Amino acid sequence: MAHSPSISTAWALCILFCGAYFDTTIDLVAASGSSSSALELEAKTLRDSGWWPSQNASDSSSPCEWYGIICNAGRSVIGIDLGSVTLGSKLKLNFSYLPNLVSLGLSQTNLQGSIPSEIGFLSELTVLDLSYNNLVGFIPPEIGRLSKLTSMYVTFNGLIGNFPPSLTNLTEIEVLDVSSNHLTGFIPNSFGKMSKLVALDLSNNDFTGPIPSSLGLLPNITHLLLSENNFNGSVPKEFGNLSKLIQLNMKGNSFIGPIHSSLLLLTNLTHLLISGNNFNGSVPKELGNLSKLVQLDLKGNNFIGPIPSSLLLLTNLTHLILSGNNFNGSIPKEIGHLSKLIQLDLKGNNFIGPIPSSLPFLTNLTFLDMSSNQFTGFIPSKIGLLKGLVGLDLSDNMLIGQIPSTIGNLTNLQTLFLGRNQINGSIPVQLGSSKKLTHLNLEGNNLTGSISVDQANFQVLEHLLLSNNSLSGNIPHQIGYIRSIKSIGLSHNFLSGEIPFEFWSLPYLNFLDLSYNNLTGKIPDGYRSRTSFALIGNKNLCGNFKGIPPCLATSPAIVSSEKSTRITIFVSIPISFLILFAIGVLLLRRRMVKQTKPSSLERKNGNLFSVWNYDGHIAYEDILKATENFDIRYCIGTGGYGSVYKAELPCGKVVALKKLHQLEAENTTFDKSFQNEVKVLTEIRHRNIIKLHGFCLHKQCMFLVYEYMERGSLFCILRDDTEALELDWNKRVNIIKCTAHALSYMHHECIPAIVHRDISSNNILLNSKFEAFVSDFGTAKLLHLDSSNQTLLVGTYGYIAPELAYTMVVTEKCDVYSFGVVALEILMGIHPGELLTLLSSSSSQNVMLHEILDQRLPPPNHRVAQDICFVATIALACVRTKPESRPTMKRVSQDFVSGNKPLAKPLHAVSLLHLIEDSETQS
Ligand SMILES: *[C@@H]1O[C@H](CO)[C@@H](O)[C@H](O)[C@H]1NC(C)=O
Ligand SMILES: *[C@@H]1O[C@H](CO)[C@@H](O)[C@H](O)[C@H]1NC(C)=O
Ligand SMILES: *[C@@H]1O[C@H](CO)[C@@H](O)[C@H](O)[C@H]1NC(C)=O
Ligand SMILES: *[C@@H]1O[C@H](CO)[C@@H](O)[C@H](O)[C@H]1NC(C)=O
Ligand SMILES: *[C@@H]1O[C@H](CO)[C@@H](O)[C@H](O)[C@H]1NC(C)=O
Ligand SMILES: *[C@@H]1O[C@H](CO)[C@@H](O)[C@H](O)[C@H]1NC(C)=O
Ligand SMILES: *[C@@H]1O[C@H](CO)[C@@H](O)[C@H](O)[C@H]1NC(C)=O
C-alpha cells in the first residue's frame, strides 16, 4: 500500500517552524511592556472563554500561571497553546484584548462554529494553528491583515468558500496548510506574493481550475501538495523555477497533458506523485535525471510506451508505482538495479514478456504487484530470495509451469495471489512455511493433486480460494482446525469424500463455496440460514439445505439429486466480491417480557467486573447460567470480533451478549477494539443506535450486553427470500432514513465526532418492527484521539470507500460512502457491486432505476416511488468517487427530514443518469 508522505511530512515541517519563530519573537514583545488595565482585559477575556474551568470570575491569579499560556516579561500574554485539550466551544476570545499574542495553538480542541473576523486584530500573530477541529464557515479575509503571520494551519475542519485573495497579502508566510476542508473555486493568481512560502498544502478540497503560473514564483518552496481537488489544465511551465521543490503531490485531480519538461528540471525532487489524473504520452527519458527520487507514483493515468531505461538509474527509488496505465513492452532486466525498492506496482498495464530474472535481487521488496498484464513464462524459483515480501500478486497473467517450492522461503508473506494464470502441478507443501499467510488465492489455474493444508502451519489463514482448478482427493479435515478462516472457496474442482464436519463449527466462516465437486454425505441440520454457503453441483450431497435434496430416512448418506435447481446467488457473482461478506449477527426472536426489578439477586463475585452498568445487580454467574457457560446452543452468530449469544437473564429480560474468544481477548488489538466499542457506546444515545446495557472487562472473559434485536441483521434479511418480502418498500425507505439520522448524529452531534468505519448491512440490526439500529463499533475510533487519522484498513470489503485504498485517511466521508452502498443494497436487495463499477465507468445512462430495484417485491405505488427516487438520488451522491463531492450525513439527514420533491416522470421512465444529474444540481 503506497503510504502518503505528504501531509505528515508537511506537518513535521510545521512544528519545526512554529518552534523557531516562537523563540525569536518572545524577546521583541517582552520589551514593549503593558499597562495594568490592558493586562486585566487580557485576563478577563481568557477567563470569560471558560477554557480554564478552574479559573472563575473571582479568581485573581495571573493567566501567566495557567496551563498553556506564555507571557512576556511584562506579563502580557504572547502565547496560547491548548493543543489536544477538549474545549468543544466556539473560538470566543475577544481578540482586541490580546494585542501581543504571537502564537495561537488550538489544534485538536474540538472547536465549533466559525473563525471570527476579529482574528484580524491579532497584529503580532506569527503562528495560527486551528487544525483538526470542527470549524465551519469561511476563512475570514481579515486574516490577510496579519502581516507577521509565518505559519497557518486550518487542516481537517469543515471550512467552505473560496481561498480569500487577501491571504496572499501574507508576505511573511512560510507554511500554509488549508488541506482537508471543503474549499472551492480558483486559486488566486496573486499567490506569487507569498514569496517566502516553504510548504503549501491545498490538498483534499474542491478547488477547481488550472494552477496559476504564479505558483512558479515561490523560490523557496519545498513542499507543494495539491492532491485530491478538481484542478485541471496542464502543469505550468513556470514550475521549472521551483528548484528547491522536494515533494510535489498532484494526485487525484484532472490534470492533462504529458509530463511537462519543466518538471524534469526539478532535480531536488524526492517525491513525484501524480497518480489519478489524465496525464498521457510516454514517460520522458529525462525523468531519469531526477536522481533523488524516492517515490514515483504515476498510477491511474493514460501513459503509454515502455518503461524508459533511464528510469532504472533512479537507484534511490523505494516506491515505483506504474499501475493502471497503458504501459507496454517488457520489464528491463536492469530493474534489479533499483535495490532499495520496497513497493513495485505494475498492475493493470499491457506489459509482456517474462518476469525478469533480476527481480529476485530486489531484496527489500515488500509489495510486488504484477497482476493484470500479459506476463508469460514461469515463476522464477529465485523468487524465494525476496524474503521481505509481504504481498505478492501475479494474478491475471499468462504464467505457466508450477508454483516453485521456494515460495516457502517467503516467510513474511501475508497475501499470495496467483489466480487466473495457467499454472499447473500441485500446491507445494513448502507453502506451509509461510506461516503469516492470511490470503491464499490460486483460483482459475489448472492445479492438480490433493490439497495439502496443515493447520499447524496456516494458523492465521483467513481466505483459502482454490476454485476452478483440477484438484482432487478429499478436503483435508485440517482446514477445519484453522480457526481464523473466513472464506473457503473450492468450487469447480474434482474433490470427493465428505465435507469435514469441523467446517460446521468454524467460528468465523462466512463464505463456503464447495459447489461443483464430487462431494458426498449429509449436511448437518442447523445450517439452513447460512445463505453464503454454496454446495450445489455435488450430486451425492443431501440435507436440509438450499438447493440440496433432503436425505432419505433410510439412506442418509447418499441420495441422488434432481432437485438442485435453485442456484444460490454466490455462483453467479465473482468470488472476490463475496470474500469478506461477514455473516452478521443472526438474532432470534425476543420474548417480550416486562422487565421486573431484580431485587433478590445480589451482585456476586463483584470483583470480576471492572465496570458494570446494567442495573448493578447482575453477576457474572447469572450470565454463565443463562448461557450455560456460553454453550454453542445459545450462540446466534459470529462476527469479526467475537460470537454473539442470546441470554435470558433471571429477571426475564433477553439480551444479546457479544463475547470475545479467549484467543482474541489476549490479543491487544482485540482488547483495544473492545475498549473502543465500550467507550463509544457508553457515550452515545440515539434512537437508531443499538443500546449497550452493560459490559464486563476481565482478562478471562470480555463481553458486551446489548439490547436484543429480534430480526437480526439487514444482511441476513435481504438474503432470505421470505424475510426480504416482509421488508416492504416503506420499511426499506425507513431503514435508510433511520441509518442516516444515526450517522448524522455520530458525525455531527457527538463530541468528538465518531466515524463508524464499518457501516455495512451486517452492522445494521432490526428490531421486531423492522426499525434500524446501527451496531458494531468495534472499529470505530474517536477521530479526535488520532492525530493523523491514518490507520490500517478496516471495514468490510465491498463497502469501503475507494480513497481508503490509497490514502488510508479515515474521514466521515468514508462512512458516507458505505452508507450509500448500504442504501443501494436495500433498494436492490443485493450488494450493488457491479453497479458501482458501472457507475464509475460512465456507462450507467442506459440503466433504468426500476431495473435495479429488488424484483422480489411488487413494484412500488406512486407515492412510494417518489420516496425511492429521492433515496436513490441521495445514495448515488454518497457513492461518488471523490470524498469531497459526497454530501455530509447531516445534509443527508436534513434532506430526509425536509422531504422529497414530487416525481415528474413515472418510475419506469427514470434512469440512473437522470438521478445522478439531479443530485448534482441539488448540491
Ligand atoms: C491586501 O493588500 C492590498 C494591496 O496590496 C490592499 O489593497 C488590501 O486592502 C489588502 N487586504 C487586506 C485584507 O489587508
Ligand atoms: C529563501 O530562503 C533563503 C534562505 O533561507 C533566504 O535567504 C531568502 O530570503 C528566501 N527567499 C525569499 C524570497 O524569502
Ligand atoms: C536543490 O536545493 C538546494 C537547496 O535546498 C539548492 O541550493 C539547489 O540549487 C537545488 N538544486 C537545483 C538543481 O536547483
Ligand atoms: C540518492 O540520494 C542521496 C541523498 O539524497 C544522494 O546523495 C545520492 O546522490 C542519490 N543517489 C543517486 C544515484 O543519485
Ligand atoms: C534494505 O532495508 C534495510 C532496512 O531498512 C536497509 O538497512 C538496507 O540498506 C536496505 N537495502 C538496500 C539495498 O537499500
Ligand atoms: C530456501 O531456504 C532453504 C533453507 O532455508 C535454502 O536451502 C534454499 O537455498 C532457499 N532457497 C532460496 C531460493 O532462497
Ligand atoms: C489440466 O491438467 C491436466 C493434467 O495435467 C490435463 O490433462 C488437462 O488437459 C489440463 N487442463 C487444462 C484446461 O489445461
Side-chain angles (χ1 to χ4, degrees):
M1 195 70 45
H3 125 121
S4 157
S6 48
I7 293 176
S8 49
T9 320
W11 188 250
L13 201 74
C14 99
I15 308 270
L16 215 75
F17 278 108
C18 308
Y21 274 79
F22 203 67
D23 289 348
T24 53
T25 3
I26 287 177
D27 301 327
L28 292 176
V29 183
S32 64
S34 313
S35 77
S36 65
S37 71
L39 293 187
E40 278 159 25
L41 288 175
E42 274 182 4
K44 179 172 164 27
T45 186
L46 297 182
R47 221 173 249 125
D48 290 350
S49 71
W51 291 352
W52 290 268
S54 53
Q55 266 69 42
N56 52 35
S58 61
D59 179 75
S60 59
S61 68
S62 157
C64 301
E65 325 298 329
W66 301 354
Y67 176 81
I69 299 238
I70 300 171
C71 293
N72 62 14
R75 301 192 67 74
S76 175
V77 174
I78 57 167
I80 298 177
D81 182 4
L82 292 178
S84 302
V85 176
T86 303
L87 304 173
S89 75
K90 293 193 170 167
L91 188 49
K92 57 191 171 186
L93 294 173
N94 186 336
F95 292 112
S96 54
Y97 293 165
L98 296 165
N100 297 324
L101 198 65
V102 173
S103 164
L104 179 59
L106 296 172
S107 174
Q108 291 190 73
T109 53
N110 198 12
L111 284 181
Q112 315 280 333
S114 54
I115 306 175
S117 59
E118 291 78 19
I119 202 155
F121 289 129
L122 299 175
S123 58
E124 295 296 323
L125 202 67
T126 65
V127 176
L128 175 63
D129 186 353
L130 304 175
S131 55
Y132 297 92
N133 284 301
N134 297 321
L135 293 170
V136 293
F138 301 93
I139 298 179
E142 288 78 4
I143 289 185
R145 287 196 222 140
L146 306 180
S147 59
K148 295 187 179 171
L149 205 62
T150 61
S151 7
M152 168 171 157
Y153 315 95
V154 294
T155 184
F156 277 102
N157 278 289
L159 299 171
I160 56 168
N162 290 347
F163 188 96
S166 69
L167 283 199
T168 61
N169 281 13
L170 299 173
T171 52
E172 294 299 312
I173 196 128
E174 300 186 350
V175 181
L176 178 56
D177 184 353
V178 301
S179 62
S180 298
N181 283 291
H182 312 293
L183 301 174
T184 46
F186 293 91
I187 298 300
N189 198 32
S190 49
F191 242 88
K193 286 202 281 172
M194 297 188 281
S195 60
K196 292 193 177 166
L197 268 182
V198 173
L200 174 63
D201 193 347
L202 305 177
S203 52
N204 243 319
N205 280 292
D206 295 325
F207 290 123
T208 52
I211 298 294
S213 57
S214 67
L215 276 194
L217 299 173
L218 307 173
N220 279 350
I221 198 156
T222 60
H223 289 71
L224 180 55
L225 311 174
L226 307 171
S227 56
E228 306 304 331
N229 280 289
N230 302 316
F231 289 124
N232 54 34
S234 51
V235 176
K237 65 176 188 310
E238 290 78 5
F239 269 27
N241 300 334
L242 307 178
S243 62
K244 293 190 182 162
L245 205 59
I246 295 173
Q247 289 197 12
L248 177 61
N249 186 345
M250 307 175 77
K251 283 182 181 184
N253 282 289
S254 304
F255 290 112
I256 54 164
I259 295 185
H260 196 275
S261 57
S262 62
L263 290 183
L264 305 170
L265 302 171
L266 306 179
T267 51
N268 273 333
L269 272 187
T270 62
H271 290 67
L272 178 57
L273 312 173
I274 60 173
S275 58
N277 282 289
N278 297 317
F279 287 114
N280 57 22
S282 52
V283 173
K285 68 174 192 310
E286 294 83 359
L287 203 61
N289 297 343
L290 307 183
S291 61
K292 292 186 183 163
L293 273 187
V294 172
Q295 294 197 10
L296 177 62
D297 183 357
L298 308 181
K299 179 175 176 171
N301 282 291
N302 300 315
F303 290 117
I304 54 167
I307 300 180
S309 57
S310 62
L311 217 57
L312 305 164
L313 302 173
L314 301 176
T315 52
N316 275 337
L317 276 181
T318 61
H319 293 72
L320 178 58
I321 302 171
L322 305 177
S323 50
N325 282 289
N326 296 312
F327 286 118
N328 57 26
S330 54
I331 306 299
K333 68 174 187 308
E334 293 83 2
I335 193 110
H337 295 171
L338 305 181
S339 59
K340 294 187 181 165
L341 273 188
I342 293 172
Q343 182 182 14
L344 177 60
D345 185 355
L346 306 174
K347 178 177 182 156
N349 282 290
N350 299 316
F351 288 120
I352 55 166
I355 297 176
S357 58
S358 61
L359 205 59
F361 298 116
L362 304 178
T363 49
N364 271 3
L365 262 192
T366 309
F367 293 99
L368 175 60
D369 191 343
M370 304 179 72
S371 62
S372 303
N373 280 288
Q374 289 142 44
F375 289 112
T376 48
F378 297 94
I379 301 174
S381 71
K382 285 215 172 83
I383 202 136
L385 294 171
L386 296 175
K387 291 197 171 24
L389 268 192
V390 170
L392 174 61
D393 190 348
L394 303 176
S395 46
D396 292 297
N397 280 294
M398 300 183 303
L399 301 172
I400 55 166
Q402 305 199 354
I403 301 175
S405 60
T406 54
I407 205 103
N409 289 30
L410 305 180
T411 50
N412 288 309
L413 211 55
Q414 294 176 14
T415 57
L416 177 61
F417 297 104
L418 303 176
R420 293 169 304 280
N421 281 288
Q422 291 146 30
I423 300 171
N424 55 32
S426 56
I427 302 172
V429 286
Q430 290 85 349
L431 201 52
S433 316
S434 306
K435 293 195 191 320
K436 297 182 183 165
L437 263 190
T438 59
H439 290 64
L440 176 61
N441 185 337
L442 308 176
E443 63 194 23
N445 283 292
N446 192 15
L447 295 169
T448 49
S450 58
I451 303 174
S452 50
V453 169
D454 185 351
Q455 94 280 3
N457 296 325
F458 294 105
Q459 283 183 359
V460 294
L461 192 65
E462 294 175 12
H463 306 286
L464 175 67
L465 302 170
L466 306 173
S467 295
N468 289 292
N469 279 292
S470 305
L471 297 166
S472 53
N474 289 349
I475 303 176
H477 281 259
Q478 283 87 342
I479 296 176
Y481 297 120
I482 307 174
R483 274 180 59 84
S484 51
I485 211 150
K486 294 177 179 164
S487 356
I488 300 177
L490 304 175
S491 69
H492 296 274
N493 278 292
F494 304 111
L495 299 168
S496 51
E498 296 196 5
I499 300 173
F501 61 88
E502 293 86 356
F503 278 21
W504 307 114
S505 48
L506 280 168
Y508 306 108
L509 189 66
N510 58 46
F511 171 75
L512 177 68
D513 185 356
L514 305 179
S515 57
Y516 300 100
N517 279 291
N518 302 321
L519 299 171
T520 54
K522 179 180 188 298
I523 301 160
D525 283 346
Y527 290 89
R528 272 160 295 186
S529 49
R530 296 208 185 184
T531 46
S532 48
F533 287 8
L535 304 174
I536 68 159
N538 286 288
K539 287 228 169 69
N540 297 321
L541 274 181
C542 70
N544 242 334
F545 202 93
K546 210 171 189 178
I548 297 289
C551 298
L552 298 178
T554 46
S555 58
I558 297 169
V559 173
S560 79
S561 147
E562 274 129 39
K563 280 178 51 187
S564 38
T565 47
R566 297 251 340 239
I567 299 188
T568 58
I569 57 167
F570 291 96
V571 178
S572 57
I573 301 180
I575 283 173
S576 51
F577 265 125
L578 310 165
I579 299 177
L580 287 176
F581 270 5
I583 191 72
V585 184
L586 313 166
L587 295 166
L588 306 172
R589 197 175 33 85
R590 170 160 71 174
R591 271 181 43 196
M592 296 304 289
V593 178
K594 197 173 180 311
Q595 188 188 331
T596 52
K597 258 278 184 273
S599 51
S600 61
L601 288 162
E602 278 306 301
R603 175 175 165 164
K604 307 158 205 158
N605 209 355
N607 60 351
L608 217 46
F609 298 87
S610 23
V611 205
W612 184 246
N613 280 347
Y614 185 66
D615 287 356
H617 283 294
I618 287 100
Y620 183 64
E621 279 93 339
D622 299 328
I623 298 285
L624 283 189
K625 209 182 287 169
T627 59
E628 295 182 39
N629 203 1
F630 293 103
D631 189 278
I632 187 84
R633 280 181 293 137
Y634 295 88
C635 181
I636 50 177
T638 54
Y641 295 93
S643 298
V644 180
Y645 295 80
K646 181 191 177 192
E648 187 178 340
L649 297 177
C651 62
K653 193 175 178 69
V654 180
V655 293
L657 297 169
K658 182 168 174 186
K659 175 180 176 284
L660 293 187
H661 297 278
Q662 198 63 43
L663 193 70
E664 291 91 47
E666 283 159 12
N667 175 329
T668 50
T669 34
F670 280 101
D671 194 344
K672 221 173 121 201
S673 135
F674 183 84
Q675 289 181 14
N676 256 344
E677 182 159 13
V678 171
K679 191 160 189 285
V680 171
L681 278 169
T682 50
E683 285 164 8
I684 57 183
R685 282 282 169 270
H686 187 274
R687 64 179 308 254
N688 299 111
I689 295 178
I690 192 152
K691 272 197 197 60
L692 175 71
H693 289 313
F695 47 88
C696 165
L697 272 176
H698 185 272
K699 70 175 184 305
Q700 263 151 38
C701 177
M702 302 165 81
F703 57 82
L704 295 159
V705 186
Y706 290 109
E707 187 180 5
Y708 181 68
M709 290 292 140
E710 294 84 349
R711 288 293 183 159
S713 76
L714 182 60
F715 177 91
C716 292
I717 291 183
L718 287 178
R719 277 156 191 77
D720 182 298
D721 290 348
T722 324
E723 291 193 282
L725 268 177
E726 271 188 80
L727 204 59
D728 62 29
W729 288 119
N730 271 325
K731 291 188 181 113
R732 293 189 188 207
V733 168
N734 222 12
I735 290 170
I736 296 173
K737 290 182 178 176
C738 289
T739 307
H741 297 322
L743 285 174
S744 169
Y745 170 83
M746 290 168 65
H747 289 180
H748 302 283
E749 281 165 58
C750 288
I751 298 172
I754 295 162
V755 177
H756 185 291
R757 291 162 164 251
D758 192 11
I759 290 293
S760 74
S761 54
N762 276 311
N763 291 333
I764 294 173
L765 304 184
L766 305 181
N767 68 5
S768 58
K769 294 184 214 144
F770 289 99
E771 289 166 335
F773 293 79
V774 175
S775 83
D776 210 340
F777 299 75
T779 54
K781 199 160 174 194
L782 305 181
L783 262 184
H784 175 69
L785 294 177
D786 177 28
S787 58
S788 68
N789 289 321
Q790 297 205 6
T791 57
L792 289 172
L793 196 54
V794 295
T796 302
Y797 188 85
Y799 297 86
I800 299 173
E803 70 272 13
L804 269 184
Y806 51 90
T807 64
M808 302 295 264
V809 178
V810 173
T811 66
E812 285 94 335
K813 289 298 176 71
C814 305
D815 279 355
V816 176
Y817 182 89
S818 310
F819 165 78
V821 177
V822 172
L824 290 173
E825 182 177 354
I826 294 173
L827 296 181
M828 296 168 67
I830 55 167
H831 185 273
E834 286 173 33
L835 179 70
L836 293 175
T837 318
L838 211 64
L839 287 176
S840 56
S841 75
S842 79
S843 50
S844 52
Q845 51 262 49
N846 301 325
V847 181
M848 305 304 289
L849 176 62
H850 74 92
E851 290 173 349
I852 65 159
L853 294 180
D854 193 342
Q855 303 298 325
R856 292 172 294 186
L857 289 189
N861 65 34
H862 183 73
R863 194 190 55 74
V864 182
Q866 230 170 44
D867 270 346
I868 289 173
C869 286
F870 185 58
V871 166
T873 309
I874 288 173
L876 290 169
C878 291
V879 295
R880 288 180 188 149
T881 316
K882 281 191 179 254
E884 307 82 41
S885 47
R886 294 173 206 146
T888 61
M889 283 319 302
K890 187 170 198 157
R891 171 80 197 267
V892 172
S893 162
Q894 281 167 351
D895 282 355
F896 281 148
V897 172
S898 57
N900 27 330
K901 54 177 196 160
L903 195 56
K905 297 184 189 178
L907 180 65
H908 66 83
V910 177
S911 70
L912 290 192
L913 186 71
H914 168 173
L915 296 180
I916 289 169
E917 280 167 356
D918 232 35
S919 79
E920 273 157 11
T921 55
Q922 276 170 28
S923 58

